[in-house]
């Protein structure tokens, strides 16, 4: 570390000792790579008597530095709060788990009893959860009340690991007579999806002491929402539920509404941008009307709620004396509906609680669009059921079961052709296409048809998983397809990138084109694609410009977005 850096660090450390046993290095942009770099930090930790809270957020800690900091923490038994968000900026994903393991082991050795653990904004992915798994299962976390893991890119796999660790922590702590009593759980922007959410719901149901749950932007659909609703019903102390920007639809909204009827302490409901639609909104309104007397905030913005349903919601808050905010912006009320809504609230002497209606979508003429969306939802559910059946079939054909059965002849999986895969893509179907899948898809795709090419690429990338066989299959298929396209002398690469950005929802089009539901797969596929020799480097600045722009769909895939931007900047 340069002498001027050491001087700057030493000066900043004068300000680090705060009241309440807290030592803070927050936001100092320290680059702690080696043991030498961390000397001053270690000194402050060692000299701080009664250390209860350590703030390391806004710095970057390498593996070697983490080891020596951990050594200093081994004697800090009074440590209760670890504010360790955003402390691995610029680190390789492989560096984070060993750093977390060192720090976690130190807390276990010290005999610390944590109350709060915040690892938010560290893009460690599923492997990173393994880095603090042992800590979560240890006595150091039997006393944990707040767990914050926002924007960590955990994915389904990480969600499952986390859920299992929480259940194990509860089991072990219960055996000691003091069950884990987690109060606050934060895990927004983590790509948990249905499977991750369902796994965590099981853990929540066992814990039963939650007061706040924040899980926005996780790609959770109604099966996952329903599982969470069932878990929330047996957490009677819940005050805050934030599931913003997931996809309830009517089924999820009705399930959640039933749960709300059983909860008595609810203060904040944030279901904004959750597509609860009119029927779901009416169900939630019924729950609000029946109880929820402590309700302070109700957010049902951007949910495709029509006028009559919105007015029903307004009427439901009549006796909610503590209500401070009602957000119904971005729905489909129309000018007359907005006026009626305001009149109802004025009549209840509650006009002040209504938020802005400036983004109202206007009253729809008919129900055609909603009917089309319902049909899309039914198709998605049918495909999900088909995928689940295929997975069950594969499970039933495990080697152990085949060997143990009386009929020793294994039953082959039903064959899959290219058309079936592209119509209803799934990782299992892609793998079952066999070793020639990449060549076959490239051969059967007319790459001169830009729209068909983009659609095919998006369907291939939609099945992307971090698991090696699936990831490899997606990359190989993408390479074969896009190499064929880009090496053609007549291929229009500008038209391709324009169409791709439109389908990703990053560029507006005069035509009504439905954007893909999740950008994670295509972002991870692009991260591979832009590094290949066939990809024109001239397209990199265009791609970078659009991926950099603020966008809610991109925000929900922050890990994949970060990976792609990092790669593009290195080209």
């Amino acid at each position: 570390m340069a002498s001027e850096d050491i001087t700057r660090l030493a000066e900043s450390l004068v300000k680090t000792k705060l009241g309440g046993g807290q030592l803070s290095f927050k936001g100092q942009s320290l680059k702690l790579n080696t043991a030498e770099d961390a000397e001053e930090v270690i000194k402050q930790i060692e000299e701080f008597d009664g250390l209860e809270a350590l703030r390391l957020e806004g710095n970057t800690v390498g593996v070697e530095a983490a080891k020596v900091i951990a050594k200093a923490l081994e004697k800090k038994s009074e440590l209760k709060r670890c504010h360790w968000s955003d402390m691995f900026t610029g680190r390789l994903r492989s560096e984070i788990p060993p750093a977390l393991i060192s720090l976690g082991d130190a807390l276990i050795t010290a005999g610390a009893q944590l109350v709060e653990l915040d690892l938010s904004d560290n893009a460690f992915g599923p492997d990173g959860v393994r880095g603090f798994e042992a800590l979560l299962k240890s006595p150091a976390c039997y006393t944990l009340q707040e767990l914050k893991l926002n924007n960590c890119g955990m994915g389904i796999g990480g969600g499952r690991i986390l859920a299992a660790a929480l259940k194990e922590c509860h089991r072990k702590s219960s055996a000691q007579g003091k069950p884990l009593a987690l109060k606050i759980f934060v895990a927004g922007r983590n790509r948990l999806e249905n499977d991750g959410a369902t796994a965590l719901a099981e853990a929540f149901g066992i814990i039963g002491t939650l007061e706040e749950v924040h899980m926005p932007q996780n790609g959770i659909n109604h099966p996952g929402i329903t599982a969470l609703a069932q878990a929330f019903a047996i957490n009677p102390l819940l005050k805050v539920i934030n599931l913003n920007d997931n996809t309830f639809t009517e089924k999820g909204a009705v399930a959640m509404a039933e749960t709300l009827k059983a909860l008595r302490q609810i203060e904040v409901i944030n279901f904004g941008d959750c597509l609860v639609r009119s029927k779901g909104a009416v169900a939630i309104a019924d729950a609000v009307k029946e109880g929820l007397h402590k309700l302070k905030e109700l957010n049902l913005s951007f949910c495709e709620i029509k006028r009559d349903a919105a007015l029903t919601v307004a009427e439901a808050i009549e006796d909610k004396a503590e209500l401070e905010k009602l957000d119904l912006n971005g729905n489909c009320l129309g000018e007359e509906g907005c006026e009626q809504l305001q009149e109802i609230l004025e009549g209840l002497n509650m006009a002040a609680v209504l938020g802005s209606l400036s983004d109202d979508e206007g009253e729809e003429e008919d129900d055609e669009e909603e009917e089309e969306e319902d049909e899309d939802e039914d198709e998605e559910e049918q495909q999900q059921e088909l995928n689940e059946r295929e997975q069950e079939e594969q499970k039933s054909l495990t080697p152990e079961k085949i060997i143990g059965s009386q009929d020793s002849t294994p039953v082959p999986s039903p064959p899959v052709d290219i058309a079936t895969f592209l119509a209803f893509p799934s990782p299992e179907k892609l793998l079952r296409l066999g070793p020639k899948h990449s060549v076959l898809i490239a051969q059967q795709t007319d790459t001169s048809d830009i729209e068909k090419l983009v659609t095919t690429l998006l369907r291939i990338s939609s099945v992307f998983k971090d698991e090696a066989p699936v990831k490899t299959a997606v990359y190989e298929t993408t390479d074969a397809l896009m190499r064929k396209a880009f090496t053609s002398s007549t291929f229009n690469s500008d038209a391709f990138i324009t169409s791709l950005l439109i389908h990703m929802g990053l560029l507006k089009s005069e035509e009504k084109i439905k954007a893909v539901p999740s950008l994670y797969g295509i972002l991870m596929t692009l991260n591979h694609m832009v590094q290949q020799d066939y990809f024109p480097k001239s397209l990199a600045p265009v791609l970078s410009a659009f991926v950099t722009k603020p966008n809610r769909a991109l925000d929900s895939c922050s890990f994949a977005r970060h990976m792609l931007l990092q790669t593009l900047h290195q080209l």
Side-chain angles (χ1 to χ4, degrees):
M1 180 180 271
S3 59
E4 58 268 24
D5 291 334
I6 295 175
T7 302
R8 181 173 61 85
L9 174 58
E11 290 174 352
S12 67
L13 288 172
V14 175
K15 304 175 183 178
T16 59
K17 289 192 177 183
L18 304 174
Q22 176 171 284
L23 179 61
S24 176
F25 303 94
K26 180 179 180 181
Q28 294 183 17
S29 301
L30 304 176
K31 296 181 179 179
L32 308 178
N33 298 316
T34 66
E36 183 184 359
D37 294 341
E39 282 180 357
E40 289 293 336
V41 173
I42 293 165
K43 182 182 177 183
Q44 289 294 315
I45 291 173
E46 290 176 341
E47 294 179 353
F48 198 115
D49 293 328
L51 179 64
E52 294 184 7
L54 178 62
R55 306 195 77 104
L56 291 174
E57 63 263 59
N59 300 291
T60 179
V61 181
V63 176
E64 188 180 340
K67 286 181 180 178
V68 292
I69 291 173
K71 196 69 179 174
L73 290 175
E74 287 181 356
K75 297 178 182 178
K76 300 299 175 181
S77 61
E78 297 178 16
L79 188 62
K80 293 180 174 62
R81 298 183 182 274
C82 297
H83 301 279
W84 295 350
S85 63
D86 189 23
M87 58 178 264
F88 296 110
T89 304
R91 298 290 169 187
L92 295 174
R93 186 168 163 182
S94 59
E95 292 181 86
I96 302 177
L100 288 173
I101 288 171
S102 296
L103 294 167
D105 287 349
L107 298 178
I108 297 170
T109 301
Q113 294 185 314
L114 295 184
V115 172
E116 179 179 359
L117 177 61
D118 187 355
L119 292 170
S120 298
D121 300 314
N122 291 311
F124 46 59
D127 294 339
V129 185
R130 293 286 188 198
F132 60 93
E133 180 184 14
L135 173 62
L136 279 180
K137 294 178 179 179
S138 76
C141 285
Y142 290 178
T143 50
L144 196 64
Q145 295 180 15
E146 301 179 30
L147 180 58
K148 300 174 181 177
L149 299 166
N150 202 56
N151 192 30
C152 292
M154 290 190 292
I156 293 171
R160 286 171 171 163
I161 297 167
L162 175 61
L166 289 172
K167 289 191 288 185
E168 182 70 0
C169 180
H170 186 272
R171 185 187 69 78
K172 288 182 175 179
S173 58
S174 296
Q176 297 293 322
K178 294 184 178 179
L180 171 67
L182 192 66
K183 294 181 179 179
I184 298 175
F185 180 83
V186 181
R189 299 183 179 182
N190 269 293
R191 302 183 288 104
L192 293 170
E193 301 181 16
N194 289 333
D195 290 347
T198 300
L200 285 167
E202 187 177 339
F204 296 162
I206 292 170
I207 294 168
T209 56
L210 289 167
E211 295 181 11
E212 295 186 21
V213 175
H214 302 263
M215 294 174 67
Q217 295 185 2
N218 269 298
I220 308 171
N221 299 325
H222 77 79
I225 296 297
T226 299
L228 288 171
Q230 292 168 349
F232 293 165
I234 43 182
N235 280 266
L237 302 178
L238 265 174
K239 296 178 182 178
V240 178
I241 302 177
N242 176 8
L243 294 174
N244 189 285
D245 201 5
N246 289 292
T247 307
F248 282 42
T249 65
E250 180 188 344
K251 291 182 179 179
V254 169
M256 194 61 70
E258 286 302 310
T259 285
L260 291 174
K261 292 177 182 179
L263 299 175
R264 295 288 177 265
Q265 306 301 320
I266 289 292
E267 296 178 3
V268 177
I269 297 172
N270 186 345
F271 297 159
D273 204 9
C274 281
L275 203 67
V276 304
R277 296 196 179 127
S278 296
K279 292 179 181 178
V282 170
I284 292 170
D286 288 343
V288 171
K289 189 172 185 178
E290 288 185 22
L292 306 187
H293 296 293
K294 296 184 178 182
L295 189 63
K296 295 180 179 179
E297 181 178 335
L298 175 59
N299 184 348
L300 294 175
S301 60
F302 299 93
C303 281
E304 296 191 4
I305 300 170
K306 297 181 181 178
R307 179 181 60 181
D308 291 348
L311 299 182
T312 301
V313 172
E315 291 167 351
I317 66 169
E318 181 176 1
D319 61 345
K320 304 299 174 274
E322 297 186 30
L323 191 71
E324 298 170 359
K325 184 178 180 181
L326 172 64
D327 192 346
L328 289 168
N329 197 19
N331 286 300
C332 310
L333 281 66
E335 185 175 346
E336 184 179 342
C338 289
E339 291 175 359
Q340 289 177 324
L341 180 64
Q342 291 166 335
E343 287 174 4
I344 288 174
L345 292 173
E346 285 172 2
L348 299 175
N349 198 27
M350 299 181 73
V353 307
L354 182 63
S356 170
L357 297 173
S358 60
D359 293 318
D360 186 73
E361 295 287 342
E363 190 170 11
E364 294 180 2
E365 295 297 325
D366 51 45
D367 293 336
E368 285 183 12
E369 188 173 339
E370 187 164 326
E371 287 173 3
E372 287 176 6
E373 287 165 346
D374 288 338
E375 288 173 6
D376 289 342
E377 183 186 332
D378 290 340
E379 287 179 9
E380 289 173 7
E381 289 175 11
Q382 289 170 7
Q383 177 56 28
Q384 184 174 347
E385 290 173 4
L386 178 62
N387 290 341
E388 288 172 357
R389 285 199 299 271
E390 288 176 354
Q391 290 170 7
E392 289 302 317
E393 288 172 5
Q394 288 184 341
K395 288 178 184 176
S396 68
L397 295 176
T398 56
E400 292 83 358
K401 290 186 179 180
I402 293 171
I403 292 169
S405 65
Q406 292 180 350
D407 183 1
S408 61
T409 304
V411 181
S413 297
V416 174
D417 57 23
I418 302 298
T420 302
F421 166 71
L422 292 176
F424 298 105
S426 73
E428 294 76 19
K429 289 196 187 80
L430 180 59
L431 295 176
R432 278 162 50 195
L433 284 172
K436 294 184 178 180
H437 57 266
S438 57
V439 177
L440 293 172
I441 290 178
Q443 287 177 344
Q444 295 186 30
T445 303
D446 179 6
T447 55
S448 65
D449 185 335
I450 297 295
E451 284 300 304
K452 186 173 182 180
L453 174 64
V454 169
T455 301
T456 302
L457 175 62
L458 289 170
R459 289 183 177 175
I460 294 167
S461 64
S462 71
V463 307
F464 179 91
K465 282 187 176 181
D466 288 320
E467 299 167 5
V470 178
K471 183 192 298 186
T472 301
V474 169
Y475 287 166
E476 288 177 350
T477 309
T478 298
D479 287 342
L481 178 67
M482 298 314 301
R483 189 180 298 278
K484 177 185 175 183
F486 282 120
T487 54
S488 170
S489 59
T490 59
F491 184 66
N492 189 334
S493 58
D494 290 336
F496 164 75
I497 202 71
T498 299
S499 178
L500 180 61
L501 291 169
I502 289 171
H503 281 272
M504 290 173 69
L506 306 183
L507 182 63
K508 290 185 178 180
S509 170
E510 292 181 1
E511 299 177 15
K512 187 175 181 181
I513 294 176
K514 190 174 182 180
V516 292
S518 171
L519 293 180
Y520 178 71
I522 186 59
L523 289 173
M524 293 301 287
T525 303
L526 283 170
N527 184 55
H528 166 82
M529 201 170 96
V530 299
Q531 300 177 62
Q532 308 311 307
D533 57 5
Y534 60 75
F535 184 81
K537 298 301 182 279
S538 60
L539 296 181
V542 179
L543 194 55
S544 180
F546 281 92
V547 176
T548 305
K549 286 183 178 181
N551 183 283
R552 281 186 297 181
L554 287 170
D555 289 342
S556 64
C557 304
S558 56
F559 172 73
R561 179 191 206 177
H562 172 75
M563 291 281 288
L564 176 56
L565 287 174
Q566 197 171 43
T567 301
L568 288 169
H569 291 156
Q570 292 171 356
L571 293 178

